[in-house]
Amino acid sequence: MPSTYNLTIQAFDGKHIAYTTLSVIIIKAPPTTFLSNNQYGELVENSPAGTIVVTMNYSMVPVEYHLLGEAQGRFAVSTEGRVIVAGEIDRESLLPNAQAIFQAVAQSSSTLYTTNVMINVLDVNDCFPNFPADYAVQIQENTVPAYNGNYVTQVEAVDQDAGNNASVTYTYAISSGTKNGFSIDPVTGVITTHFKYDREQTPEYILLIQARDSGTPMQLSSTALVLVEIGD
């Protein structure tokens, strides 16, 4: 039952007195199971099932726990309020924030209690650099190369990992053609040439470009082809 308190307030300015009354009703709140509105955890992606991610703060109210939202298929909760890995945890599927955010519900015999659970998912090097497609360009024969070389094209591979795991460098090799007159910036992927080409001698060159990340413990790489046609 709520408790009611009636207060009489007096104001006096040295000459006049005024009164008013104030009623205060105290309602006893139901017991709470979560001691915090937000629960925070952190784990490395691809962690095995059963890994404990966070132990939710709770009181001694007997409850049954459930998880909602992004927890489905990824996390489960024990009877003690421990959130554990229950399925595949893929950081890249949680981009751009790399967070799993969901609600935990604790149900007693007559009341529901909720709290927000936010789990940061740390990266492992499991994504290969990805070229969108192979490339085809044309340069004109007998073009005199500039001092820093003539621009051919720029390649780019995107790695969805984070940090060094997503830092890509480029190298190349000649796959078809006899004259190795090309160079590639290992950071930007810009390909230039330092030679004057003769179409009648070699009408095209095929470059095999490799993009390699800087991840640990193992670096991952992928390749793309650049067809360079010599125009007449």
Side-chain angles (χ1 to χ4, degrees):
M1 292 289 294
S3 300
T4 302
Y5 298 88
N6 295 314
L7 307 180
T8 300
I9 310 299
Q10 174 183 291
F12 178 60
D13 65 1
K15 183 177 180 181
H16 302 93
I17 299 177
Y19 298 91
T20 189
T21 59
L22 176 66
S23 296
V24 179
I25 301 174
I26 307 297
I27 300 175
K28 185 178 180 181
T32 179
T33 185
F34 296 113
L35 305 182
S36 173
N37 290 331
N38 297 304
Q39 312 286 328
Y40 299 95
E42 188 174 81
L43 84 160
V44 176
E45 65 173 326
N46 301 329
S47 293
T51 300
I52 298 175
V53 184
V54 60
T55 299
M56 294 181 289
N57 295 322
Y58 63 96
S59 69
M60 298 307 295
V61 177
V63 294
E64 180 179 341
Y65 290 99
H66 304 279
L67 301 181
L68 305 176
E70 290 184 350
Q72 301 301 309
R74 295 186 174 106
F75 300 98
V77 61
S78 69
T79 56
E80 297 84 9
R82 295 187 181 95
V83 177
I84 61 174
V85 174
E88 180 182 7
I89 308 298
D90 178 29
R91 172 189 170 275
E92 288 68 40
S93 69
L94 296 169
L95 293 176
N97 297 322
Q99 285 185 325
I101 302 175
F102 50 90
Q103 276 195 322
V105 177
Q107 183 176 3
S108 69
S109 58
S110 60
T111 310
L112 287 177
Y113 313 93
T114 62
T115 186
N116 298 314
V117 182
M118 286 166 277
I119 298 175
N120 291 322
V121 180
L122 305 180
D123 186 51
V124 298
N125 192 31
D126 59 351
C127 290
F128 287 80
N130 179 54
F131 289 100
D134 292 328
Y135 300 80
V137 296
Q138 186 180 85
I139 59 177
Q140 295 302 308
E141 68 173 339
N142 299 322
T143 301
V144 177
Y147 176 78
N148 292 324
N150 293 339
Y151 177 86
V152 177
T153 190
Q154 183 176 18
V155 298
E156 182 182 21
V158 177
D159 192 318
Q160 287 193 310
D161 287 316
N164 288 336
N165 293 339
S167 179
V168 176
T169 56
Y170 302 95
T171 58
Y172 87 100
I174 290 287
S175 178
S176 174
T178 58
K179 186 180 293 183
N180 189 350
F182 301 93
S183 64
I184 186 169
D185 187 299
V187 177
T188 65
V190 171
I191 299 173
T192 54
T193 180
H194 301 268
F195 278 67
K196 184 169 68 173
Y197 295 99
D198 182 356
R199 184 180 187 279
E200 285 66 37
Q201 182 181 20
T202 307
E204 67 179 30
Y205 297 84
I206 298 177
L207 311 182
L208 180 65
I209 309 297
Q210 181 186 73
R212 180 181 296 275
D213 66 29
S214 303
T216 56
M218 181 175 63
Q219 296 178 341
L220 303 177
S221 64
S222 59
T223 59
L225 296 177
V226 178
L227 171 63
V228 182
E229 296 182 331
I230 308 302
D232 193 0

